[in-house]
Amino acid sequence: MQRHKNYVNGKYLDNRTKECFAVINPATGKQIYEVEIADDTVLNAALESAVKGFKAWSAMDTVNRSRILMRAVSLLRDRNDDLARIEVMDTGKPFQEASTVDVVTGADVIEFFAGAAPGISGSQQDLGRDFYYTRREPLGVCAGIGAWNYPLQIACWKAGPALACGNSMIFKPSEETPLGALKLAEIFTQVGVPDGVFNVVQGAATVGQWLTACPGIEKISFTGEVGTGKKIMASAASTLKDVTMELGGKSPLIIFEDADVDQAVSAAMLGNFYTQGEVCTNGTRVFVHTSIREKFLEQLLARTRANIKMGDPMDPDTNFGALISSEHKKKVLSYIQSAKAEGATQQCGHTMPTLPSQNQEGFFVPPTVFTDCTDQMTFVREEVFGPVMAVLDFDTEAEVIQRANATPFGLAAGVFTRDIQRAHRVIHQLKAGICWVNAYGASPAQMPVGGYKQSGVGRENGLETIGYYTQVKSVYMGMGPLDSPF
Ligand code: NDP
């Protein structure tokens, strides 16, 4: 059985305890490799190397830093398909997606911040005789803690801005998907990122807890569930660390009577079935105007039945893969049970399509659509994080805005209408950090993303993020004698 290790100070490091965890291919249910857990020796070495790495990296001219990161972008793109295959093995998502989205969007974000790095600057203002200026300085050692749905992309979305701004990083991937971040670390070393600037430590919550409590770490950038985010913020508060929280959602997708129904169906399918529904921004509450309900459902069900190809994720024709784990599959199935028990009508997802023999033990759940849903149903209120769509009817604009906002989450929202004024009017009233009009799910590097309410704190991507990985130092310059009463 192949064994992977922690990546510290530019190389792989053995742990002392010899403890490992197993990684399962979700499409087959079989173990694919094992990974050494970061013990105290590894964690302390990672911190020491990140402190050392920070000194060298932050002192480097930003154009050089940018040039090195751009080389990493090229290597990520050169190795696109190999990296995509790793993501497929770890996550169970289709190669069709991983090879066109996961690595590409990860590389895009590093490229965006590498391009922006030489432009990071402070300001200067005259105060009569004296003046002050500001410096935008890096924070120091940052920690990244990632979820399992987009492992390499999440590592890139955290490392890109952190490193471009001159910080070093210790990254902990999810225990379910540990390999992508190690490959990113290898690439950084290969292109000349100094040792210690990007370290990867492996393990479950205890390793994450060590990072969040560690006094030498200045910031935690976390992607994961709301409940975990709260624990991490509480732990980070003990040393007043800066935090960025990219958390879960229960986002509304609102389809008005004048929408292009074909496009709206595409959005609903993308926003519920892409990555088997394991996407944080998914529009899982699909509000459809009563007058177009039948037409919408007819198209949605026909296309779901005809166009979703669930199967071996490595098969280039497969567009719907396996859920991350047996435990997660059980959770998703229990939400499906609760939907039925609470009175929703299951329209599709009753039967499993035939799977290739090697995938019989995989964690597959077919795309599932429910109608006759109410806002109070458990699966309509809680994040399922699986391919389970709730179709809800509405009659008026005011009603749908109120219902869309009636949730503690506020990650994303979508509106489909041809009425341009209504589109803006509605979007401006929705309490969500990422909104789409006549589109769903696109997240380019240039666009800041993050949640309102309990869906997050801070932003990733876009120039805003530079403010989250730097701090402002004000320097007052006295140009004459001090004015003092003493
Ligand atoms: P979790 O919150 O369970 O875990 C996320 C990471 O935190 C994992 O690396 C996990 O380790 C680690 N962790 C768990 N407990 C602690 C702790 N107490 N202290 C420090 N670290 C800890 O999320 P999932 O991995 O299950 O991911 C799914 C969730 O992520 C969904 O809610 C989804 O909405 C959200 N998400 C949000 C995104 C956004 O941008 N807003 C994007 C993608 C996902 P381990 O798993 O190894 O135990």
Side-chain angles (χ1 to χ4, degrees):
M1 182 64 58
Q2 204 182 356
R3 177 183 275 219
H4 295 280
K5 297 178 184 184
N6 295 276
Y7 197 91
V8 173
N9 204 29
K11 53 190 135 347
Y12 285 103
L13 179 66
D14 293 343
N15 67 3
R16 208 147 5 135
T17 58
K18 303 287 171 226
E19 276 187 300
C20 283
F21 60 90
V23 178
I24 310 286
N25 179 345
T28 60
K30 304 270 185 307
Q31 184 176 344
I32 36 178
Y33 55 88
E34 58 186 15
V35 178
E36 291 192 2
I37 297 172
D39 55 13
D40 281 352
T41 322
V42 170
L43 290 168
N44 288 323
L47 181 63
E48 198 184 311
S49 83
V51 170
K52 218 172 65 199
F54 172 69
K55 273 202 187 114
W57 186 240
S58 58
M60 195 184 280
D61 168 45
T62 46
V63 172
N64 282 336
R65 249 177 11 217
S66 167
R67 217 173 268 145
I68 293 172
L69 291 175
M70 288 294 189
R71 290 204 293 265
V73 172
S74 297
L75 270 196
L76 280 164
R77 295 210 172 111
D78 289 350
R79 297 182 189 168
N80 183 76
D81 285 7
D82 288 343
L83 293 167
R85 273 188 278 274
I86 288 171
E87 294 299 83
V88 174
M89 295 276 281
D90 274 8
T91 64
K93 66 172 66 187
F95 180 74
Q96 201 185 87
E97 277 183 26
S99 60
T100 53
V101 171
D102 293 50
V103 192
V104 176
T105 52
D108 283 355
V109 166
I110 299 181
E111 185 170 37
F112 175 80
F113 286 106
I120 298 173
S121 61
S123 62
Q124 183 275 334
Q125 194 174 8
D126 290 339
L127 303 161
R129 182 194 62 188
D130 296 349
F131 69 95
Y132 83 90
Y133 65 94
T134 60
R135 287 165 54 80
R136 202 162 259 290
E137 298 182 346
L139 302 172
V141 179
C142 301
I145 301 179
W148 42 255
N149 60 340
Y150 280 79
L152 178 65
Q153 187 212 57
I154 291 173
C156 291
W157 283 22
K158 296 192 188 307
L163 269 53
C165 292
N167 302 285
S168 60
M169 178 163 261
I170 305 176
F171 187 83
K172 188 199 96 63
S174 164
E175 212 184 0
E176 328 255 21
T177 55
L179 211 46
L182 291 175
K183 295 295 154 195
L184 179 64
E186 286 177 17
I187 286 176
F188 279 145
T189 300
Q190 206 172 331
V191 298
V193 172
D195 293 348
V197 173
F198 186 75
N199 307 277
V200 180
V201 293
Q202 304 282 5
T206 47
V207 172
Q209 283 158 354
W210 188 91
L211 294 171
T212 59
C214 176
I217 292 176
E218 303 296 335
K219 180 190 171 89
I220 305 285
S221 177
F222 171 72
T223 299
E225 284 176 16
V226 173
T228 317
K230 287 178 185 173
K231 286 186 206 153
I232 288 179
M233 262 184 100
S235 170
S238 64
T239 48
L240 279 182
K241 290 188 203 331
D242 204 278
V243 292
T244 296
M245 295 273 143
E246 293 289 338
L247 308 177
K250 193 73 205 178
S251 302
L253 169 59
I254 303 173
I255 301 163
F256 283 100
E257 63 277 19
D258 62 345
D260 178 328
V261 172
D262 191 48
Q263 293 286 298
V265 168
S266 297
M269 290 179 71
L270 266 175
N272 280 273
F273 302 145
Y274 203 69
T275 318
Q276 315 77 235
E278 297 168 325
V279 178
C280 53
T281 51
N282 268 357
T284 45
R285 290 184 297 145
V286 181
F287 291 96
V288 183
H289 193 268
T290 322
S291 64
I292 57 162
R293 179 184 186 274
E294 291 315 314
K295 188 175 172 196
F296 176 86
L297 271 178
E298 196 183 310
Q299 278 204 33
L300 172 72
L301 298 176
R303 284 174 58 184
T304 300
R305 289 185 187 116
N307 299 345
I308 300 255
K309 306 233 173 332
M310 181 166 103
D312 180 357
M314 285 294 185
D315 181 336
D317 287 334
T318 297
N319 60 19
F320 191 94
L323 296 181
I324 189 71
S325 63
S326 138
E327 200 188 330
H328 190 55
K329 177 178 171 176
K330 274 191 213 133
K331 182 178 151 191
V332 172
L333 291 177
S334 79
Y335 275 114
I336 292 175
Q337 285 309 324
S338 83
K340 289 193 276 197
E342 290 176 35
T345 308
Q346 186 171 354
Q347 298 287 358
C348 65
H350 302 85
T351 46
M352 283 284 278
T354 322
L355 289 163
S357 57
Q358 77 273 20
N359 299 118
Q360 295 298 318
E361 306 295 319
F363 314 129
F364 292 87
V365 172
T368 305
V369 175
F370 280 103
T371 54
D372 304 315
C373 308
T374 65
D375 297 351
Q376 288 69 41
M377 289 175 175
T378 312
F379 90 110
V380 179
R381 287 184 291 108
E382 296 179 7
E383 186 184 44
V384 177
F385 220 58
V388 185
M389 185 192 306
V391 179
L392 299 136
D393 310 336
F394 75 94
D395 290 307
T396 69
E397 188 180 304
E399 171 209 337
V400 78
I401 292 169
Q402 184 274 325
R403 289 171 60 196
N405 285 333
T407 166
F409 298 109
L411 189 58
V415 170
F416 272 76
T417 176
R418 289 186 171 102
D419 177 341
I420 189 170
Q421 288 177 334
R422 171 154 67 187
H424 290 293
R425 190 169 62 233
V426 172
I427 286 288
H428 293 184
Q429 293 177 77
L430 292 175
K431 295 189 174 68
I434 313 163
C435 293
W436 290 281
V437 175
N438 297 334
Y440 207 87
S443 198
Q446 300 91 322
M447 187 173 94
V449 288
Y452 278 20
K453 299 195 271 183
Q454 293 191 26
S455 286
V457 176
R459 291 293 175 271
E460 286 192 327
N461 297 349
L463 289 175
E464 252 94 341
T465 301
I466 288 172
Y468 292 106
Y469 279 102
T470 54
Q471 53 196 336
V472 173
K473 179 179 281 171
S474 297
V475 184
Y476 185 103
M477 290 295 301
M479 298 298 287
L482 264 180
D483 186 13
S484 165
F486 307 114

